Amino acid sequence: MGKMSTRLFVVLALAVAAIFSLVGCGSEKQAPPAAQAQPVEINVSAAVSLKDALAEIQKNYQAKNPNVKLAYNLGASGALQKQIEQGAPADIFISAAPKQMNELEEKNLVNKATRKNLVENKLVVVVPKESKLNITKYEDLTQDGVKKLALGETATVPAGQYAQQVLQKLGLWDAIKDRVVFTKDVRTVLAYTETGNVEAGIVYKTDAISSDKVKVAAVAPEGSHQPIVYPVAVTTGTKQQKAAEAFVEYLFSAESKTVFEKHGFTMGK
């Protein structure tokens, strides 16, 4: 009987050890998902004209991915480009023009393989809602009633660069340039027009849609400026490569497309 008791004890001991071993394995297998749930912050430097659409997309994305925090840095594309060149934290860059993205790509500061054209826009003249000026085309900006015309600073603001292209293409720049008030970004052009500090401003169609204090007076003729394309890319300095690529992929989803189109953008080709 003594030998049987010893054998039984050994068998039981081995069984208990096996159970603990299985439990241990289980806990090891569960560890990676717990690690994946660690909060991730993605810094997105984006053209300020995307502000309203991106705010809505942020809400949608974070509801689906509660462990991801999207931190937006919104501004003029040229200013954002300079910040990235100077080492500011950025995992993703969305420019309002190819120029700024091209220059970062040349300096190997964005990952060329992740670059895509996200959305497109149109350029419009806006006037205050109550304006009595008769402006129906860009040529009408030369009339005496337009004392001040707001544009984005042409050195750093793509909307300002596009506006200057239109005015030069139509032969209007020399007649208008002394009336121009330059601003730090396109949303400031909109604000100046909303408050009546200027008689007119040139902004994106999407900016005009975002405001109930202005009305669209004219749309830039086809071919009068370079196509208004917003490229997106993951930066080479990102420490969140997978999370950044996942968010860029989401920007092209059907859900995001609906948001962009609601705010007046068309998806890139």
Side-chain angles (χ1 to χ4, degrees), residues 203-222:
V203 299
Y204 297 122
K205 173 190 170 186
T206 50
D207 298 307
I209 287 173
S210 76
S211 174
D212 58 3
K213 296 174 184 169
V214 299
K215 58 187 177 184
V216 173
V219 179
E222 286 293 326

Side-chain angles (χ1 to χ4, degrees), residues 166-211:
V166 176
L167 295 171
Q168 287 176 333
K169 178 89 173 177
L170 299 177
L172 306 172
W173 181 250
D174 288 340
I176 286 173
K177 62 184 180 183
D178 292 338
R179 309 179 198 182
V180 171
V181 177
F182 290 108
T183 72
K184 68 182 179 70
D185 59 43
V186 71
R187 283 301 170 102
T188 308
V189 174
L190 185 67
Y192 281 11
T193 312
E194 287 177 333
T195 54
N197 284 335
V198 295
E199 282 74 31
I202 299 180
V203 299
Y204 297 122
K205 173 190 170 186
T206 50
D207 298 307
I209 287 173
S210 76
S211 174

Side-chain angles (χ1 to χ4, degrees), residues 98-114:
K99 177 179 182 285
Q100 291 74 21
M101 188 69 80
N102 292 344
E103 289 176 8
L104 288 181
E105 195 176 293
E106 284 165 15
K107 294 176 180 176
N108 198 33
L109 291 171
V110 294
N111 184 340
K112 186 177 180 179
T114 64

Side-chain angles (χ1 to χ4, degrees), residues 90-167:
D91 300 297
I92 294 167
F93 179 45
I94 313 175
S95 174
K99 177 179 182 285
Q100 291 74 21
M101 188 69 80
N102 292 344
E103 289 176 8
L104 288 181
E105 195 176 293
E106 284 165 15
K107 294 176 180 176
N108 198 33
L109 291 171
V110 294
N111 184 340
K112 186 177 180 179
T114 64
R115 178 176 173 173
K116 297 176 185 172
N117 288 337
L118 180 57
V119 289
E120 297 178 6
N121 214 334
K122 291 189 183 298
L123 200 68
V124 300
V125 174
V126 287
V127 295
K129 196 83 169 178
E130 307 305 320
S131 174
K132 299 292 190 286
L133 285 173
N134 183 25
I135 298 173
T136 59
K137 56 188 185 296
Y138 275 69
E139 286 82 355
D140 294 332
L141 293 171
T142 59
Q143 62 186 260
D144 292 340
V146 181
K147 308 286 184 199
K148 292 178 185 171
L149 169 68
L151 301 185
E153 180 56 62
T154 55
T156 54
V157 184
Q161 293 160 0
Y162 292 127
Q164 187 177 40
Q165 286 174 16
V166 176
L167 295 171

